[in-house]
Amino acid sequence: MSRIPLRTSIVGGGAALSPARRAVMFDLLGVWFEGYGEDYFNEELDGVDHCVLQEEPDTGQLVGFATLYQREPVVDGRAVGLFHTLHCILDRRHWGSNALVRAMVAFMLDHARGEDGGRPWYWHYSAVGYRSYRYMPSLFRRHAPNPEQALDPFDRAVRDWVGRTCFEQYYDTESGLVDWNWQGYGLTEAARAISEAKLDSPGVSLFRAVNPRWADSVEVLCQARLSDDNLTDFARRWFPPSPVSTPVSG
């Protein structure tokens, strides 16, 4: 596992990405997902609003990325702000660095903190594995899915709006699961591998409870409010309320 500090930057949507950079991003995605067409991936990039990029500082090689949609819909008569992470991928050589997620969440929190119209902001993503789900309980006091917490009606309405809008008929409102059921699409063998040593850990057990069909590439829609009162003590150390620069190294 590499400990090389990575250079992190945040750029606009797909228009800011060269064809060469898009190709590298697709190759990184292909390590974890199979059956994901490159044309479809590029269509997604054309629609995103923000891209978080990670590069090795000495070579400039792209080794990680995250893509974000930003929306401001009206849900149940109330204006809300939404960030939805479509993909968050990091080359396995650099696992152990949290800079990609840290920079992305800092960016979203800074935006939510600057909101002066009373609009609540949320973060959403669909988790197909434990490594992506774990940021919910690590960073947020109230989040979904969580077997120990029931969503209040408005938060549930927001989650279901995102589920129906982003995933259409593949989203189940009762479970919060997304079952694409696409022929040939799914996790690669490397992505499905969870070591036997981790199966009894509390975090993995919790994830398996909220998404028991993860090995079939079923995803679970995750949600948290982006507010200071919803941050865990750990998250408060990562994201203090005073103005700070977006972290750029792990």
Side-chain angles (χ1 to χ4, degrees), residues 126-187:
S126 57
V128 71
Y130 162 69
R131 287 183 178 276
S132 51
Y133 170 72
R134 62 182 173 149
Y135 288 105
M136 282 285 124
S138 295
L139 299 179
F140 302 103
R141 297 180 183 277
R142 301 177 304 280
H143 60 272
N146 185 347
E148 299 177 356
Q149 294 175 345
L151 278 172
D152 70 40
F154 183 72
D155 282 356
R156 180 169 185 136
V158 172
R159 186 199 68 172
D160 290 344
W161 186 93
V162 171
R164 290 190 297 266
T165 301
C166 294
F167 305 110
E168 300 177 339
Q169 72 270 24
Y170 303 104
Y171 172 73
D172 179 69
T173 56
E174 290 302 315
S175 64
L177 296 177
V178 180
D179 186 355
W180 295 106
N181 195 27
W182 288 354
Q183 187 68 30
Y185 166 76
L187 293 172

Side-chain angles (χ1 to χ4, degrees), residues 28-122:
L28 288 169
L29 182 72
V31 174
W32 308 111
F33 294 95
E34 55 191 8
Y36 212 101
E38 189 167 6
D39 288 343
Y40 181 73
F41 177 69
N42 278 296
E43 288 177 8
E44 288 181 335
L45 288 181
D46 289 337
V48 301
D49 298 286
H50 313 283
C51 297
V52 187
L53 306 175
Q54 282 205 312
E55 301 166 317
E56 293 180 340
D58 51 347
T59 66
Q61 180 183 359
L62 184 69
V63 295
F65 71 92
T67 51
L68 281 171
Y69 290 125
Q70 180 177 335
R71 300 289 185 267
E72 298 180 5
V74 174
V75 178
D76 281 3
R78 184 176 180 184
V80 299
L82 307 173
F83 285 106
H84 180 77
T85 298
L86 193 60
H87 299 296
C88 187
I89 305 291
L90 183 64
D91 188 291
R92 192 163 187 165
R93 292 179 297 121
H94 295 282
W95 282 9
S97 167
N98 289 301
L100 181 61
V101 170
R102 194 171 178 180
M104 176 174 59
V105 177
F107 171 77
M108 295 186 293
L109 269 172
D110 284 349
H111 189 92
R113 286 166 171 164
E115 174 70 46
D116 58 4
R119 183 197 316 264
W121 281 84
Y122 294 80

